[in-house]
């Protein structure tokens, strides 16, 4: 088995674990916290880690320069912005910062897709 195949298998396993955790949090947040061993009072620190990780990914993907990778990154950021905005809007909380993040990311996605199509 080649190293490339092994890396692909690692990617599939990562996807499955992350998808399972997403479903756990979406369907039963307490179970999601239990599965991940996160603690409610530590979530602000966890969010700091997540934003730092996404900043590193943004820098790495930008330096790498692959338009397809950038398009996928912007699509993920758009999803997160709109999803967070929707969560807060439904709860009656301010959501514009999240929703505008989704809009800006969608704009960047469209520019990346235009660049891909233009070749």
């Amino acid at each position: 088995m080649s190293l490339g195949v092994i890396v692909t298998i690692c990617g599939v396993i990562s996807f499955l674990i992350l998808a399972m955790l997403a479903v756990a949090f979406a369907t039963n947040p307490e179970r999601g916290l239990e599965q991940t061993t996160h603690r409610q009072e530590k979530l602000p620190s966890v969010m700091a880690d997540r934003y730092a990780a996404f900043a590193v990914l943004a820098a790495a993907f930008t330096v790498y320069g692959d338009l397809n990778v950038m398009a996928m990154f912007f699509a993920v950021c758009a999803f997160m912005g709109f999803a967070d905005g929707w969560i807060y809007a439904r709860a009656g909380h301010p959501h514009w910062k999240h929703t505008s993040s989704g809009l800006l990311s969608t704009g960047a996605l469209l520019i990346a897709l235009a660049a891909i199509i233009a070749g």
Side-chain angles (χ1 to χ4, degrees):
M1 185 177 311
S2 74
L3 290 177
V5 170
I6 294 170
V7 170
T8 300
I9 291 169
C10 290
V12 170
I13 292 169
S14 296
F15 166 78
L16 292 172
I17 291 169
L18 292 168
M20 178 200 70
L21 292 172
V23 170
F25 273 105
T27 59
N28 185 342
E30 294 79 24
R31 179 79 175 131
L33 286 170
E34 182 182 312
Q35 291 258 331
T36 60
T37 67
H38 282 300
R39 305 210 29 102
Q40 195 89 25
E41 68 274 8
K42 293 296 182 185
L43 288 182
S45 295
V46 170
M47 291 299 293
D49 293 346
R50 297 298 184 269
Y51 279 114
F54 268 91
V56 169
L57 285 175
F61 294 162
T62 301
V63 169
Y64 185 67
D66 185 301
L67 293 176
N68 295 301
V69 172
M70 290 299 297
M72 287 302 300
F73 179 74
F74 294 139
V76 168
C77 289
F79 169 79
M80 285 193 319
F82 288 132
D84 288 356
W86 179 250
I87 289 166
Y88 286 113
R90 284 188 318 182
H93 298 298
H95 66 89
W96 182 243
K97 287 183 180 182
H98 298 285
T99 302
S100 65
S101 171
L103 291 169
L104 291 169
S105 296
T106 299
L109 169 61
L110 293 173
I111 294 167
L113 292 175
I116 290 167
I117 290 168

